[in-house]
């Protein structure tokens, strides 16, 4: 619901910062503390995940030959990412926004309300509208990635990113519109669902 409203108001789907802003506000309404966490994120379809596993992990993909990569593509493998690592790898990146992916931290959980930005149904990369995965002290220290395999075989990987420039964007402001009205609509929808649940 938040993403639909944000996309309508902002006219774009690349909206992890305002989505996190609205979700944080809604969680706060229900007394759940959260804080924003900058990350780099990558996602791949089932075919690519299986290839990563067969070669000893995604880190080994850097050693793949051009012929191997062509073979992977023929098999339908696909991976995509958001973060500085994309640019340093010489891949095309957006230059009209912050080069990272913002999520929320709720205790030991990363909560991602905009992971659908990486969806590509034509390449069998299907991700949910809301995604969460646990993190620990090693992730906090930047020495480990948070990895999640979905029931459809797609994989999502989060790495810690030390970059707070997202705070300077116009999309991270407290008590401003359109965020206040979006928060109110989401709270209203959640309360309506709760009222329908049997006691």
């Amino acid at each position: 619901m938040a993403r639909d409203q944000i996309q309508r108001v902002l006219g774009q789907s690349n909206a992890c910062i305002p989505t996190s802003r609205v979700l944080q506000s809604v969680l706060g309404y229900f007394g759940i503390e959260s804080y924003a966490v900058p990350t780099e994120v990558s996602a791949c379809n089932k075919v690519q995940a299986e290839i990563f596993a067969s070669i000893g992990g995604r880190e080994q993909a850097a050693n793949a030959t051009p012929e191997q990569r062509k073979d992977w593509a023929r098999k339908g493998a696909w991976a995509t990412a958001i973060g500085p690592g994309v640019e340093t790898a010489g891949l095309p990146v957006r230059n009209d926004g912050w080069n990272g992916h913002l999520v929320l931290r709720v205790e030991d959980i990363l909560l991602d309300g905009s992971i659908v930005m990486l969806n590509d149904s034509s390449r069998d990369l299907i991700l949910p509208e809301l995604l969460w995965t646990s993190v620990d002290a090693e992730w906090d220290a930047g020495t480990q990635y948070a990895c999640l395999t979905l029931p459809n075989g797609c994989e999502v990987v989060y790495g810690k990113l030390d970059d707070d420039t997202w705070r300077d964007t116009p999309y991270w402001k407290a008590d401003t519109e359109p965020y206040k009205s979006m928060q109110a609509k989401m709270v209203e929808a959640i309360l309506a669902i709760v009222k329908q649940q049997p006691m």
Side-chain angles (χ1 to χ4, degrees):
M1 179 178 175
R3 282 194 51 75
D4 291 344
Q5 288 289 325
I6 288 166
Q7 187 168 347
R8 183 183 60 78
V9 172
L10 300 181
Q12 57 147 316
S13 60
N14 190 15
C16 63
I17 297 173
T19 300
S20 294
R21 168 71 185 90
V22 173
L23 288 178
Q24 185 182 57
S25 182
V26 171
L27 290 170
Y29 176 89
F30 291 101
I32 301 171
E33 288 187 25
S34 67
Y35 61 91
V37 177
T39 70
E40 53 185 348
V41 63
S42 64
C44 66
N45 64 13
K46 180 179 180 180
V47 175
Q48 184 67 72
E50 290 172 346
I51 289 171
F52 283 152
S54 72
I55 63 173
R58 62 183 54 231
E59 301 81 17
Q60 303 302 319
N63 301 322
T65 66
E67 291 75 23
Q68 285 177 303
R69 291 181 185 279
K70 287 178 185 176
D71 183 54
W72 296 352
R74 280 192 294 271
K75 292 176 179 175
W78 178 252
T80 186
I82 300 172
V86 177
E87 188 171 11
T88 56
L91 301 174
V93 296
R94 291 175 56 102
N95 57 11
D96 59 347
W98 174 63
N99 196 7
H101 185 62
L102 200 66
V103 299
L104 294 180
R105 178 78 176 260
V106 182
E107 296 182 354
D108 62 348
I109 298 293
L110 291 183
L111 179 64
D112 189 345
S114 57
I115 190 64
V116 293
M117 293 186 335
L118 295 181
N119 264 358
D120 189 338
S121 59
S122 70
R123 299 178 188 273
D124 293 324
L125 180 57
I126 309 297
L127 305 171
E129 292 193 19
L130 188 66
L131 189 64
W132 59 90
T133 187
S134 61
V135 289
D136 55 22
E138 289 187 52
W139 190 88
D140 289 331
T143 58
Q144 185 174 323
Y145 289 99
C147 305
L148 179 67
T149 301
L150 303 176
N152 64 7
C154 294
E155 288 185 352
V156 181
V157 178
Y158 295 91
K160 187 177 180 187
L161 188 60
D162 291 320
D163 178 355
D164 282 340
T165 56
W166 54 270
R167 293 185 184 276
D168 300 327
T169 68
Y171 303 133
W172 190 263
K173 304 291 181 187
D175 299 321
T176 59
E177 291 296 355
Y179 306 118
K180 289 170 69 175
S181 59
M182 287 186 208
Q183 173 198 347
K185 288 177 183 176
M186 287 187 65
V187 167
E188 184 179 326
I190 292 169
L191 291 174
I193 292 170
V194 170
K195 287 179 184 175
Q196 294 174 2
Q197 300 300 317
M199 295 291 183

